[in-house]
Amino acid sequence: MYKICLLPGDGIGPEVIAAAKDVLTALPVEWDFTEFGIGFGEYQRSGSPLPDSTLQAILHADAALFGAVTTPPNIPNYFSPVVRMRQSLDLYANLRPTRSIPHSSSRAGIDMLIVRENTEGLYSGIERVEEDGDRAITERVITRKGSERIIRKAFDLARQTGRKSVHVVHKANVLRQTCGLFRMVAFEIAKEYPEITMNEMLVDTCAMELVRAPEQFEVIVTTNLFGDILSDEACMFVGGLGVAASGNIGADAAVFEPVHGSAPTLVGTGKANPTATFLAAAMMLEYLGENEQSARLRNAVETCIASGQVTPDLGGSLTTGEMTKTVIQRI
Ligand code: NAI
Ligand code: MG
């Protein structure tokens, strides 16, 4: 029995999370689901977009599945619950699998995993303005500990999934200290994985190579900002936002989510594509060690896509609920 914390959030979040719950329930796995609040709706109800009870629930669950939140217009004491959640729970690894889908919008032959550092780098939150607003500074913090754990996570995942290479992406020729440390740690860690080839690549070269020949990459590991950009770039080769899923992994908690936002204009129309959340649920199954069920769910989703039984964003005519039913039938 797995304890799963569901975090529906705002907009289409509740619609895609309900769909994923139905699909997970159709698998031969025992679930104990509990829902907790996050986002703007939760702020309006309780005064906080991320109540402590929600954080505690994520910590005490085996894993969490998160929909999406809406960012409200300027509210002084409002904070991003997604960023806060990643920081509070130290969810240091952001995983973005990028895999071809059987659809005309997807290139073939791609199966890569982008592993992005999620807690430091240029997003450490150390910023200031000087000289009466004419000079703004952001500090880029890279630590040995932060680099070690993300690089080790990338090599561990490569090993677990039978991949043969890891690309360490940096800009150490210019950012000599911060990227220099990240790069040096990568060379140290790579020695512990003799069966895996480590390739280093400058981030600008990587951006180019991703467009030229994305199938060359198996695992990419990189710092926060670079990973943010490269993972969004990469997902456009394999179907885009409707199907892109991600995981945020820490030592004590894990939160899986679709990459898309709350898509306010789609609420209640039945047009929200649940695929990204289904694939996030498949990642969650893999994290829980249910590899067979994960593959089963992914196969069911891919068969639907291949036969055109999809929502309008992928050229089909099914509603969220109809596509969910079809996936369940295929399971
Ligand atoms: P969005 O991802 O919600 O929508 C971008 C475009 O993709 C829209 O045209 C939307 O209709 C479409 N789309 C998104 N998800 C879809 C799905 N499942 N099926 C079919 N089409 C889909 O991004 P946008 O419009 O920039 O932001 C809307 C709200 O979401 C904002 O308040 C933003 O701050 C928030 N947001 C939240 C995120 C999160 O919770 N992790 C991530 C990104 C944005
Ligand atoms: Mg992004």
Side-chain angles (χ1 to χ4, degrees):
M1 170 94 83
Y2 296 109
K3 266 180 80 169
I4 303 299
C5 182
L6 296 177
L7 307 165
D10 304 313
I12 61 168
E15 298 175 21
V16 293
I17 289 295
K21 185 182 173 188
D22 287 348
V23 161
L24 286 170
T25 305
L27 293 167
V29 177
E30 295 250 353
W31 302 105
D32 174 10
F33 293 114
T34 323
E35 284 192 13
F36 287 85
I38 187 169
F40 187 46
E42 180 58 31
Y43 172 83
Q44 290 171 311
R45 272 188 298 276
S46 73
S48 169
L50 183 66
D52 209 45
S53 50
T54 297
L55 278 177
Q56 289 304 320
I58 301 170
L59 266 179
H60 291 116
D62 293 308
L65 193 60
F66 165 52
V69 293
T70 296
T71 311
N74 282 334
I75 298 181
N77 65 339
Y78 198 83
F79 56 86
S80 159
V82 180
V83 173
R84 182 70 63 90
M85 175 171 70
R86 290 174 181 165
Q87 285 168 351
S88 305
L89 300 174
D90 199 23
L91 304 175
Y92 65 88
N94 188 271
L95 310 184
R96 287 278 289 267
T98 303
R99 181 193 309 248
S100 301
I101 57 167
H103 188 265
S104 56
S105 65
S106 173
R107 292 213 212 174
I110 301 174
D111 184 7
M112 84 177 96
L113 176 65
I114 300 184
V115 180
R116 161 190 167 195
E117 205 292 321
N118 219 11
T119 58
E120 52 182 37
L122 209 60
Y123 296 169
S124 301
I126 308 172
E127 282 198 299
R128 61 185 182 275
V129 181
E130 294 175 351
E131 293 172 18
D132 295 332
D134 287 340
R135 187 175 150 89
I137 298 166
T138 300
E139 286 186 20
R140 181 172 197 261
V141 180
I142 298 290
T143 65
R144 168 171 283 276
K145 177 186 167 228
S147 303
E148 272 178 9
R149 64 182 183 174
I150 196 68
I151 292 162
R152 188 163 276 126
K153 174 66 82 184
F155 276 88
D156 280 342
L157 287 166
R159 183 174 269 173
Q160 279 162 31
T161 55
R163 289 169 161 109
K164 298 280 174 278
S165 69
V166 172
H167 279 79
V168 175
V169 173
H170 60 72
K171 188 75 183 178
N173 55 339
V174 177
L175 303 170
R176 302 175 73 93
Q177 298 304 329
T178 50
C179 273
L181 176 58
F182 187 78
R183 173 178 183 270
M184 184 175 72
V185 170
F187 275 99
E188 289 169 19
I189 303 273
K191 288 195 195 120
E192 298 169 25
Y193 301 83
E195 82 279 21
I196 297 167
T197 307
M198 179 187 131
N199 304 299
E200 59 172 328
M201 193 177 266
L202 296 175
V203 63
D204 42 354
T205 307
C206 182
M208 234 165 30
E209 285 296 313
L210 267 178
V211 175
R212 191 185 67 79
E215 60 287 340
Q216 72 184 288
F217 297 100
E218 293 185 288
V219 175
I220 289 175
V221 61
T222 189
T223 49
N224 208 337
L225 169 74
F226 297 163
D228 191 9
I229 298 170
L230 294 176
S231 59
D232 276 12
E233 180 189 353
C235 88
M236 294 315 293
F237 304 133
V238 291
L241 270 188
V243 302
S246 73
N248 304 276
I249 318 280
D252 307 314
V255 180
F256 298 86
E257 57 174 317
V259 169
H260 64 70
S262 62
T265 58
L266 299 184
V267 174
T269 62
K271 288 184 180 161
N273 187 347
T275 301
T277 314
F278 293 162
L279 295 178
M283 288 179 78
M284 182 177 82
L285 281 160
E286 212 171 295
Y287 169 81
L288 294 170
E290 298 285 346
N291 292 352
E292 207 176 303
Q293 301 308 325
S294 172
R296 194 167 168 184
L297 171 52
R298 193 173 293 124
N299 286 339
V301 172
E302 284 182 4
T303 322
C304 281
I305 294 173
S307 58
Q309 292 173 299
V310 286
T311 45
D313 58 305
L314 288 182
S317 59
L318 298 192
T319 64
T320 313
E322 287 164 352
M323 185 173 175
T324 305
K325 278 206 192 89
T326 312
V327 169
I328 291 172
Q329 278 161 12
R330 292 191 185 274
I331 284 173

